[in-house]
């Protein structure tokens, strides 16, 4: 890909962003193809993170920071604070806990002592097919609350997302996970939800948060809190969670 090639010819701390108007060759998790119709905000961003930094030691956190930045980009606009845009662990953007509106994909390459990170993020701003879009949520909110919030543009939201992400990365580098987690929990959909461990018949556990490395923490009755990983690339990342050996 163009951006993959450009990555290695850029000055050190230069951030590069590519914005796709329409994408047909996007890559998703586990080799899924990611199609992007018109009306989606779709970008790939390049950032550099020193290995010996708070975030460099916790690279999986980047996907959480990006998902949170997308939600914050909308909900930090005056008047838009109550639009039901939320984060689904580990890398999706949701309408409430009902419907996916976007996602994040992170690729990292360590070169000497610097992580070169390619962040792909896409979210549906203005296209009601095949799911719901951010402007649908705004219209719904206007109808229910009698407000007159304007629809948002993909360009504006991409710019805001990148600005918010830069701020989140600065906070994380300075304060570590605790600088960001309160905001993350405010917008995530999992508080107090139950999941099954290991398989469909496995023990029930309550989701309590994420650990210092961005993995999900669950509390199994009588067992204390454990970190868990998703089992492969199922569409529902929260189906069969595994306790790492």
């Amino acid at each position: 890909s163009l951006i993959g090639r450009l990555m290695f010819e850029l000055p050190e701390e230069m951030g590069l962003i590519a914005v796709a108007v329409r994408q047909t060759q996007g890559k998703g998790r586990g080799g899924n193809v990611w199609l992007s119709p018109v009306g989606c905000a779709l970008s790939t961003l390049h950032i550099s993170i020193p290995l010996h930094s708070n975030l460099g030691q916790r690279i999986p956190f980047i996907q959480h920071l990006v998902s949170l930045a997308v939600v914050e980009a909308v909900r930090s606009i005056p008047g838009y604070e109550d639009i039901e845009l939320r984060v689904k662990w580990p890398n999706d953007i949701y309408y409430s806990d009902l419907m996916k509106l976007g996602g994040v994909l992170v690729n990292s390459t360590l070169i000497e002592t610097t992580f070169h990170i390619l962040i792909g993020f896409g979210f549906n701003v203005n296209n009601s097919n095949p799911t719901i879009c951010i402007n649908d949520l705004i219209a719904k909110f206007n109808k229910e609350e009698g407000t007159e919030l304007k629809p948002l543009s993909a360009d504006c939201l991409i710019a805001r997302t990148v600005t918010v992400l830069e701020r989140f990365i600065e906070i994380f580098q300075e304060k570590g996970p605790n600088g960001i987690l309160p905001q993350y929990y405010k917008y995530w959909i999992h508080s107090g939800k139950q999941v099954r461990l290991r398989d469909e018949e496995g023990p029930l556990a309550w989701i309590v948060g994420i650990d210092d490395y961005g993995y999900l923490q669950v509390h199994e009755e009588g067992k204390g809190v454990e970190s868990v990983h998703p089992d492969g690339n199922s569409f529902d990342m929260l189906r069969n969670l595994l306790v790492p050996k």
Side-chain angles (χ1 to χ4, degrees):
S1 70
L2 171 66
I3 198 151
R5 292 201 303 278
L6 278 172
M7 242 173 91
F8 300 103
E9 296 158 24
L10 282 171
E12 217 14 64
E13 53 298 328
M14 164 94 178
L16 173 76
I17 185 163
V19 176
V21 181
R22 200 144 181 277
Q23 172 172 295
T24 54
Q25 296 292 305
K27 290 185 173 51
R29 292 178 62 94
N32 295 331
V33 176
W34 192 0
L35 297 172
S36 168
V38 175
C40 280
L42 214 98
S43 340
T44 306
L45 175 67
H46 168 242
I47 58 171
S48 303
I49 302 286
L51 168 63
H52 303 296
S53 66
N54 265 329
L55 196 48
Q57 296 295 303
R58 299 172 178 83
I59 287 297
F61 244 101
I62 290 175
Q63 60 191 343
H64 309 321
L65 296 186
V66 182
S67 308
L68 182 58
V70 172
V71 173
E72 178 76 9
V74 174
R75 297 185 67 165
S76 61
I77 303 172
Y80 294 74
E81 297 90 347
D82 294 326
I83 300 297
E84 263 298 291
L85 204 57
R86 295 193 169 269
V87 176
K88 181 180 181 208
W89 182 93
N91 55 1
D92 288 333
I93 293 117
Y94 259 60
Y95 154 49
S96 183
D97 58 354
L98 301 170
M99 218 178 277
K100 179 172 171 168
L101 274 126
V104 174
L105 197 71
V106 174
N107 277 314
S108 56
T109 311
L110 182 60
I111 300 170
E112 290 169 3
T113 58
T114 305
F115 277 107
H116 289 265
I117 317 277
L118 279 181
I119 298 165
F121 62 92
F123 48 95
N124 193 351
V125 180
N126 203 27
N127 187 335
S128 301
N129 293 314
T131 58
I132 195 169
C133 66
I134 289 171
N135 284 336
D136 288 342
L137 301 190
I138 292 167
K140 180 176 181 294
F141 185 81
N142 282 337
K143 206 169 134 191
E144 288 168 3
E145 303 294 324
T147 45
E148 292 181 14
L149 300 176
K150 291 185 170 54
L152 300 171
S153 76
D155 292 357
C156 150
L157 287 182
I158 288 171
R160 287 185 68 90
T161 298
V162 173
T163 306
V164 171
L165 178 62
E166 284 178 343
R167 191 178 86 235
F168 284 168
I169 289 172
E170 276 173 25
I171 294 169
F172 197 100
Q173 292 295 38
E174 193 188 322
K175 301 182 173 165
N178 292 339
I180 291 294
L181 283 175
Q183 191 68 349
Y184 186 77
Y185 291 145
K186 183 176 156 192
Y187 290 144
W188 85 332
I189 62 176
H190 306 293
S191 294
K193 294 267 167 77
Q194 278 189 322
V195 287
R196 293 240 174 234
L197 298 184
R198 295 177 279 287
D199 57 53
E200 301 297 324
E201 310 295 304
L204 273 176
W206 299 95
I207 296 177
V208 291
I210 55 180
D211 69 15
D212 266 6
Y213 295 92
Y215 291 115
L216 206 62
Q217 288 178 310
V218 298
H219 180 253
E220 193 186 328
E221 198 68 43
K223 282 258 176 104
V225 174
E226 297 179 291
S227 293
V228 291
H229 298 210
D231 175 16
N233 180 37
S234 66
F235 271 107
D236 184 354
M237 295 299 293
L238 295 176
R239 285 242 328 259
N240 303 326
L241 293 164
L242 301 177
V243 180
K245 298 289 168 273

